[in-house]
Amino acid sequence: MLGVFFPSLKKRQSMEEMVHLIQEGDFNLRNDLIEQYKPFIKKSVSSVCKRYITDTDDEFSIGLIAFNDAIDRFSYEKGTALLAFADTMIKRRVIDHLRIQSRKNQELSMDFCAYSEEGYAQSHLEAERSIEYHKEELNAEQRREEIVRFTQVLTSFGITFGQLVQASPKHSDARKNAVSIASLVANDSSMLEYLFQKKKLPLKRLEEKVNVSRKTIERNRIYIVAMVLILSGDYRFLGDYLKGVLKD
């Protein structure tokens, strides 16, 4: 019934079933899915190469392999949509391919002097700039997608991103203490389960494990909950933020 009002939900469930069956060994279904999403693969590859991509292009072959690998490595438990995950893998593989080709072209140019020194330097510089640009573009896209996912999870705990910003401890020591408490919860399966089921911190258990008052824990509740979600989830960029907090 929900599929009638929310077509995207119906499609997502269908894809979940397809991926599950493929991972169980349905080879024909794998071929069907790859064939169905060839236009998507070409679009992802083209966004990196900045040109029209055909079936005969090496970059398209790289994209096909990446999409196939994405199917095998994908897990809905990480909270990422399959197409977003596949898009990331495709772009990474193509960028790596372009970087390798750039190095090969450099070696070939040096061996055979196919270009003038000035012309080669300019070509190589443009290739490196293109690779770095697309790498930064990919990181920015992943960062946005990650923040959207994280915000959605926060909402399920009754927390807005604005509330998290306001609740973040101002002093580095307070932030480190909050992250330490969050780490205890994230690494304790029973406390983590309690948090996700009850949507609140296991205060009684925490009081037994840390030398911090209940009042202090409650004051930093929003920040601690957010840090637990980051530590227990698949958040590459937000995880880097935590590393920065611990270094301060």
Side-chain angles (χ1 to χ4, degrees):
M1 184 65 179
L2 287 175
V4 175
F5 299 101
F6 302 100
S8 61
L9 178 59
K10 184 176 181 181
K11 182 178 180 180
R12 178 182 173 88
Q13 291 174 333
S14 175
M15 186 170 288
E16 279 188 12
E17 294 169 359
M18 290 178 70
V19 171
H20 176 72
L21 291 172
I22 290 170
Q23 292 176 345
E24 290 294 316
D26 193 325
F27 184 77
N28 291 329
L29 188 57
R30 179 188 295 270
N31 289 338
D32 291 342
L33 186 63
I34 292 175
E35 186 67 30
Q36 180 181 348
Y37 281 93
K38 276 186 177 181
F40 166 80
I41 296 170
K42 288 181 181 178
K43 182 178 178 181
S44 295
V45 174
S46 179
S47 69
V48 175
C49 298
K50 295 299 181 184
R51 61 180 174 83
Y52 180 75
I53 296 296
T54 68
D55 290 2
T56 59
D57 285 314
D58 290 342
E59 291 83 0
F60 177 63
S61 297
I62 300 295
L64 283 175
I65 294 171
F67 187 82
N68 184 62
D69 289 345
I71 293 173
D72 291 330
R73 296 173 55 183
F74 180 72
S75 170
Y76 272 96
E77 294 177 358
K78 293 184 177 181
T80 305
L82 172 62
L83 294 186
F85 180 65
D87 185 57
T88 296
M89 284 195 64
I90 291 169
K91 288 177 179 176
R92 282 180 178 173
R93 296 284 180 84
V94 174
I95 288 173
D96 288 342
H97 170 73
L98 292 176
R99 185 177 286 114
I100 292 172
Q101 290 301 115
S102 177
R103 286 199 294 266
K104 287 182 177 179
N105 289 339
Q106 179 181 5
E107 294 170 359
L108 188 63
S109 297
M110 292 177 67
D111 289 341
F112 296 98
C113 299
Y115 302 101
S116 67
E117 182 176 346
E118 181 180 356
Y120 166 74
Q122 182 66 24
S123 175
H124 179 66
L125 180 60
E126 289 177 356
E128 287 297 321
R129 283 177 177 172
S130 177
I131 291 171
E132 288 305 313
Y133 169 77
H134 290 297
K135 184 177 180 181
E136 291 173 6
E137 190 178 54
L138 178 59
N139 284 340
E141 184 177 338
Q142 290 178 303
R143 191 179 294 109
R144 287 191 296 270
E145 189 270 341
E146 189 172 285
I147 291 175
V148 169
R149 284 195 294 113
F150 181 61
T151 301
Q152 291 172 343
V153 177
L154 279 179
T155 301
S156 71
F157 282 80
I159 302 172
T160 68
F161 205 84
Q163 287 175 323
L164 173 58
V165 172
Q166 293 180 349
S168 299
K170 301 299 184 291
H171 300 290
S172 62
D173 287 343
R175 289 196 298 273
K176 288 180 181 179
N177 287 334
V179 171
S180 296
I181 294 172
S183 181
L184 280 175
V185 177
N187 290 297
D188 187 304
S189 59
S190 62
M191 286 199 289
L192 190 62
E193 182 179 359
Y194 180 95
L195 174 67
F196 278 94
Q197 286 183 350
K198 305 290 185 179
K199 304 300 181 184
K200 60 184 181 180
L201 290 171
L203 294 174
K204 186 175 181 181
R205 291 283 307 279
L206 283 174
E207 283 185 294
E208 298 172 354
K209 291 179 172 288
V210 299
N211 294 320
V212 179
S213 68
R214 176 185 283 252
K215 184 178 180 180
T216 299
I217 296 174
E218 289 179 334
R219 184 172 63 247
N220 294 313
R221 178 189 66 84
I222 290 177
Y223 188 77
I224 293 172
V225 169
M227 296 305 103
V228 173
L229 296 178
I230 293 174
L231 288 168
S232 61
D234 182 22
Y235 299 106
R236 170 191 166 195
F237 295 99
L238 293 174
D240 288 340
Y241 159 78
L242 278 182
K243 293 177 183 178
V245 168
L246 296 175
K247 286 182 180 180
D248 288 342

